[in-house]
Amino acid sequence: MKTAVIYARYSSDKQTEQSIEGQLRVCRDYAERNGILIVDTYIDRAMTGKNDHRGAFQKMLKDSQKKLWDYVLVYKLDRFSRNKYETAIHKKTLRDNGVRILSAMENIPETPEGIILESLLEGMAEYYSAELAQKVRRGRHETRLKGYFPGGVVQYGYRLVNRKLIVEENEANVVRYIFEEYAKGVYVEKIIQALAEKGILHHGKPFAKNTVYNLLKNDKYTGVYHLHDAVYENVYPRIISDEIFEKVRQISEKNHYGRRSTKTVYLLRGKMVCGYCGYSIIAETGTARNGTLLHYYKCRGRKQKNGCQKEVVPKDTLEKLIIEAITEHLNQPEQMKRMIEEIMRVQMQDSGNDTAITQLQYEKKQAETTIQNIMAAVEKGVVTATTTKRLLEMEQVLSDLEQRIEIEKSKKPVLLSKEQISLFYSKALRMESQLLINYLIQKIVLFDDRAEIYYNTPTDTTPGDGRGILLYTIGKDYTAYSATNEGRKKPKHLDIDIKI
């Protein structure tokens, strides 16, 4: 069964809560006719559609990344946005996340005409964006030609005075020292140590190695500013000579400081900590003597030489182990049954939290009582301008309360059946590995001979926020995997030992 969320909005000029109620009713009727399950609603009240500065709208776009529903259903497309450029851009965002927009009243079919219309909107958005970028580039180009600082972070060694950069001599002397020492063959670590001993810090701390490496390859210190195909020589005053900069460049090329591969996806990045020293496990890329790139996970504490001896682990080996262990564990019939029952329990618990509706129903009952009292007075012949005005006011209050109750009811989550939860559960285990890790795993404590995997759960039994994604919850805090070393220093493989 396809799933959808409803997005509804009314403007501040002439529409009211009644507009929301009508939009929701039409959208639900459309969903029922087309066999679509509504799982949530997003509502913006008194918000213009001329821009996307809308809280519920932005939350809906962000939630679409989770890929838990198939459609965004709106009353009409103008409820989504009145800005044709933003409409095209946000439709593309949703489409990239596997989500389509449906209009309950317009119901634009997937025909060649519909494709042309959508392409036209996206083309206009691209044109508008390109034209705006061109104007911005032209303005900044003129600014640089005049020698003015175009904006952004002021480079170390300079300061900004009347929109122009001047040399900050104290910092410039540090820059010259770093370049001269590196040109002599002094290692960056030794340069940082020498600066620290002299009391020269960067933002109150010793210089970071990456900061120094980035400084050494920044040609702005030679007085030249390259941007795209343009060269500006009147923005940055010279601090370093061309000769010493070229010498530093040649040394850097020989040393070839390890570059980070932006094309490599590390599935477990940010999820692991060292079981020995407690530091995070970080992703690393190195180069073998034959030029082959090596990808692995390494303890940050060991890298910073804190005494930890945690072995490095090949990226592919560790990721394959973790994914297989998670999938095998969650596919066990007893585990599946336990998780589905827990999901059902949490779902029923959450659905019972209707404090807002209870309060509104209490206010409605009071309004009805007031109206009955006024009508009783009228029947006894007490008819004045005041009673008539009060009766009209209370009838409006009652009408508003009834609408607000319907809206609050629409916000309550749709209860899924056990069969539907089972279907979603199976689908979740077939998701791509990165999503499985992101949604399911709270942290992984890594040792040389085992890994402890801590899951997110819907209860308050785990560290952290104590609440995970509902469809991927489990009932236990962790599952430990013990290793078989077979006398080797590094474990060749891990035998799964489920501990419940």
Side-chain angles (χ1 to χ4, degrees):
M1 174 180 286
K2 295 291 185 180
T3 58
V5 297
I6 296 175
Y7 176 74
R9 174 186 63 82
Y10 73 86
S11 302
S12 58
D13 51 352
K14 60 182 180 180
Q15 293 174 306
T16 65
E17 291 274 3
Q18 188 173 0
S19 171
I20 295 290
E21 183 182 6
Q23 292 177 48
L24 295 174
R25 183 178 63 254
V26 171
C27 288
R28 288 200 189 93
D29 290 344
Y30 176 90
E32 186 175 352
R33 291 196 308 271
N34 290 274
I36 299 174
L37 175 66
I38 302 299
V39 297
D40 206 348
T41 59
Y42 297 84
I43 300 173
D44 279 312
R45 296 171 174 81
M47 288 288 184
T48 178
K50 294 180 180 179
N51 58 60
D52 58 4
H53 301 158
R54 292 168 267 155
F57 183 83
Q58 291 296 333
K59 187 175 187 304
M60 179 265 294
L61 291 177
K62 184 177 181 180
D63 289 349
S64 70
Q65 299 174 4
K66 301 175 183 178
K67 301 183 179 181
L68 298 179
W69 25 268
D70 304 297
Y71 303 113
V72 172
L73 181 57
V74 294
Y75 174 72
K76 284 187 176 181
L77 290 179
D78 65 358
R79 298 298 88 192
F80 185 78
S81 177
R82 290 184 182 273
N83 185 312
K84 57 187 176 182
Y85 307 114
E86 290 181 352
T87 296
I89 293 169
H90 294 317
K91 284 175 68 176
K92 183 179 185 304
T93 298
L94 291 173
R95 188 168 62 247
D96 290 345
N97 292 332
V99 178
R100 272 190 58 206
I101 298 176
L102 297 179
S103 172
M105 293 298 292
E106 295 155 331
N107 195 20
I108 299 175
E110 293 187 20
T111 62
E113 291 79 10
I115 295 174
I116 291 174
L117 176 60
E118 185 173 355
S119 299
L120 176 62
L121 291 174
E122 292 176 355
M124 292 185 69
E126 184 177 358
Y127 167 77
Y128 173 78
S129 177
E131 183 186 38
L132 180 61
Q134 186 181 61
K135 291 179 180 178
V136 171
R137 285 196 300 269
R138 189 184 305 125
R140 290 182 175 176
H141 175 67
E142 293 298 324
T143 298
R144 296 184 188 101
L145 287 177
K146 296 175 182 177
Y148 291 118
F149 182 59
V153 178
V154 176
Q155 190 73 28
Y156 184 83
Y158 300 97
R159 60 189 177 93
L160 190 62
V161 178
N162 296 327
R163 296 181 60 195
K164 288 196 173 185
L165 294 171
I166 65 172
V167 175
E168 208 293 319
E169 282 300 332
N170 290 332
E171 292 183 357
N173 288 332
V174 175
V175 173
R176 296 186 187 103
Y177 174 83
I178 291 173
F179 271 88
E180 291 167 359
E181 291 298 297
Y182 192 80
K184 295 176 185 176
V186 180
Y187 291 121
V188 167
E189 288 183 355
K190 294 295 184 182
I191 295 174
I192 294 173
Q193 183 179 349
L195 289 172
E197 289 174 353
K198 295 178 181 181
I200 300 174
L201 305 175
H202 187 252
H203 299 309
K205 298 179 180 179
F207 279 79
K209 286 195 292 185
N210 284 344
T211 300
V212 176
Y213 281 114
N214 289 332
L215 184 149
L216 288 169
K217 61 185 180 183
N218 194 331
D219 61 356
K220 295 184 180 71
Y221 291 119
T222 65
V224 179
Y225 180 19
H226 295 276
L227 184 66
H228 305 303
D229 296 329
V231 179
Y232 307 92
E233 298 182 348
N234 60 343
V235 178
Y236 286 87
R238 178 187 290 273
I239 293 178
I240 299 299
S241 68
D242 292 336
E243 293 75 17
I244 194 170
F245 184 83
E246 179 60 21
K247 187 174 182 179
V248 165
R249 188 193 65 78
Q250 292 176 2
I251 295 175
S252 297
E253 285 295 323
K254 289 181 180 179
N255 293 340
H256 195 67
Y257 175 66
R259 296 176 181 174
R260 180 174 174 179
S261 174
T262 57
K263 296 182 179 179
T264 303
V265 177
Y266 288 84
L267 299 179
L268 305 176
R269 188 194 299 274
K271 292 287 186 179
M272 295 191 295
V273 297
C274 177
Y276 300 109
C277 70
Y279 276 66
S280 59
I281 300 292
I282 59 176
E284 288 277 290
T285 299
T287 306
R289 292 182 179 178
N290 62 2
T292 303
L293 280 179
L294 303 175
H295 306 291
Y296 52 90
Y297 289 100
K298 183 177 183 178
C299 172
R300 184 184 293 275
R302 175 172 177 172
K303 183 176 181 178
Q304 296 180 357
K305 299 181 180 180
N306 68 349
C308 183
Q309 297 299 311
K310 172 74 185 72
E311 297 287 350
V312 299
V313 185
K315 168 187 175 297
D316 293 339
T317 300
L318 183 60
E319 291 176 352
K320 183 174 183 293
L321 166 71
I322 297 297
I323 294 298
E324 288 181 352
I326 293 172
T327 305
E328 180 177 345
H329 177 57
L330 298 181
N331 269 319
Q332 294 178 6
E334 286 299 318
Q335 182 64 22
M336 290 180 65
K337 180 181 178 182
R338 184 185 300 112
M339 291 178 67
I340 292 172
E341 289 176 350
E342 181 66 14
I343 293 170
M344 292 287 292
R345 185 190 67 78
V346 173
Q347 178 181 236
M348 294 301 298
Q349 177 180 312
D350 289 346
S351 66
N353 185 14
D354 54 359
T355 305
I357 295 177
T358 302
Q359 178 62 30
L360 289 172
Q361 288 175 339
Y362 173 75
E363 294 177 11
K364 177 187 174 185
K365 185 175 181 180
Q366 286 186 319
E368 290 172 340
T369 301
T370 301
I371 291 175
Q372 290 174 1
N373 293 337
I374 295 174
M375 290 302 298
V378 171
E379 290 174 356
K380 294 179 179 179
V382 182
V383 181
T384 65
T386 302
T387 56
T388 302
K389 180 181 178 181
R390 180 60 174 164
L391 179 61
L392 292 175
E393 289 176 351
M394 292 308 301
E395 287 178 342
Q396 183 60 48
V397 169
L398 181 60
S399 176
D400 291 343
L401 286 170
E402 289 174 344
Q403 293 170 12
R404 291 173 62 187
I405 289 172
E406 289 303 315
I407 291 171
E408 289 298 328
K409 287 181 178 179
S410 71
K411 291 160 60 176
K412 289 176 65 64
V414 177
L415 296 182
L416 303 178
S417 66
K418 193 170 184 179
E419 291 72 20
Q420 289 172 323
I421 292 176
S422 298
L423 178 62
F424 279 121
Y425 180 89
S426 301
K427 181 180 178 181
L429 295 183
R430 295 194 300 270
M431 293 170 66
E432 61 174 287
S433 301
Q434 186 67 75
L435 290 178
L436 193 65
I437 294 294
N438 289 345
Y439 288 148
L440 194 60
I441 301 304
Q442 182 184 95
K443 70 174 181 178
I444 299 171
V445 181
L446 192 62
F447 299 84
D448 285 337
D449 60 346
R450 70 186 187 280
E452 294 176 356
I453 303 177
Y454 290 76
Y455 292 91
N456 287 313
T457 73
T459 62
D460 295 327
T461 59
T462 54
D465 60 9
R467 192 169 186 83
I469 301 301
L470 185 62
L471 295 181
Y472 312 130
T473 57
I474 69 167
K476 293 294 180 181
D477 293 350
Y478 70 91
T479 301
Y481 299 92
S482 61
T484 301
N485 279 355
E486 298 180 354
R488 298 180 176 87
K489 184 177 181 181
K490 297 181 181 179
K492 184 176 182 181
H493 67 279
L494 300 183
D495 293 331
I496 297 176
D497 179 19
I498 304 295
K499 297 180 179 179
I500 301 299

